[in-house]
Amino acid sequence: MMRGTASKSTTVKQFREFCGAVVRCLPEGIPPSMAQRWIQESYPLRQVLEKALLPSIPEFPEVVELGIKHLETLIKEAKFDEVYEWRQLMTITDEEAFVPHGLAFVKVKSRISLVTYPVDMHASAVLQECGEMGIRMASIAELLQLAIERPNLQHEGPIFALTPHLLKKGIEALILGSHSHETKRTLQVVTPQGTPHGSHCRYAMVKEKPVG
């Protein structure tokens, strides 16, 4: 989080405007005693601001291990209750599913984090912030392997894997979702619509380079 100075990726003007926006959003009528408490105990205030302003990036202790498998095999092994846009899914090649790894690896191990934002986000904004944080989007193969190893995660809310390399095919993202009172697990394609994703969405990202 920025701590009083402009970061390398933030211009001085942008940082000033950001600070001004934060100040304008402060609630009016804060009692003097409460204001003094925040002054004297700034760490809790910093925690509140970090939670509100920065995306939540919980760590996943599980290691997702990929082998060389066909995309269709991964989908079948995930045992989804419903798969939508199957024909469009089958236009994705095995090589595209394993971006950025390619199929040269016998096995690849990755740690997946599910990143949430407190506001609705456009895919382009998520990708930009992903790069600024030094995090990459999980590949389609990693997303499906996550569905295989941790199927119950889908019942906690939709999980997105954005696919900028597949936009020419009209595929913006793949979603692990659920419906029917969260009893069924689904897989579906998102086509570019220009509308933001809801704040309840979670984005599958990889915080560290693959090992193994």
Side-chain angles (χ1 to χ4, degrees), residues 169-189:
K169 292 186 175 182
I171 299 175
E172 178 183 280
L174 259 65
I175 304 179
L176 304 180
S178 63
H179 64 76
S180 299
H181 304 291
E182 300 185 345
T183 59
K184 290 186 177 182
R185 295 168 52 246
T186 64
L187 174 68
Q188 66 184 88
V189 169

Side-chain angles (χ1 to χ4, degrees), residues 74-104:
L74 286 169
I75 294 174
K76 289 181 177 179
E77 288 185 1
K79 298 179 180 179
F80 297 108
D81 295 296
E82 298 283 351
V83 177
Y84 301 101
E85 296 93 17
W86 179 264
R87 183 176 298 178
Q88 195 168 15
L89 279 170
M90 288 300 98
T91 67
I92 303 172
T93 67
D94 292 333
E95 288 80 6
E96 290 169 336
F98 279 81
V99 170
H101 304 312
L103 295 177

Side-chain angles (χ1 to χ4, degrees), residues 40-148:
Q40 294 175 340
E41 302 176 12
S42 60
Y43 181 72
L45 179 59
R46 177 176 293 175
Q47 287 184 310
V48 170
L49 290 173
E50 287 183 350
K51 183 177 181 180
L53 299 175
L54 294 176
S56 172
I57 309 177
E59 287 293 342
F60 257 32
E62 289 77 18
V63 174
V64 173
E65 185 170 310
L66 296 178
I68 297 178
K69 295 180 180 179
H70 295 294
L71 174 62
E72 187 172 354
T73 300
L74 286 169
I75 294 174
K76 289 181 177 179
E77 288 185 1
K79 298 179 180 179
F80 297 108
D81 295 296
E82 298 283 351
V83 177
Y84 301 101
E85 296 93 17
W86 179 264
R87 183 176 298 178
Q88 195 168 15
L89 279 170
M90 288 300 98
T91 67
I92 303 172
T93 67
D94 292 333
E95 288 80 6
E96 290 169 336
F98 279 81
V99 170
H101 304 312
L103 295 177
F105 296 90
V106 176
K107 287 186 177 180
V108 176
K109 295 180 181 179
S110 304
R111 288 190 182 276
I112 306 293
S113 292
L114 297 185
V115 180
T116 60
Y117 292 86
V119 296
D120 294 355
M121 294 284 285
H122 286 275
S124 58
V126 174
L127 289 169
Q128 180 178 350
E129 293 198 10
C130 178
E132 291 174 351
M133 292 187 293
I135 301 173
R136 69 168 176 82
M137 276 289 165
S139 68
I140 294 172
E142 286 168 330
L143 180 76
L144 293 173
Q145 191 64 34
L146 182 65
I148 293 170

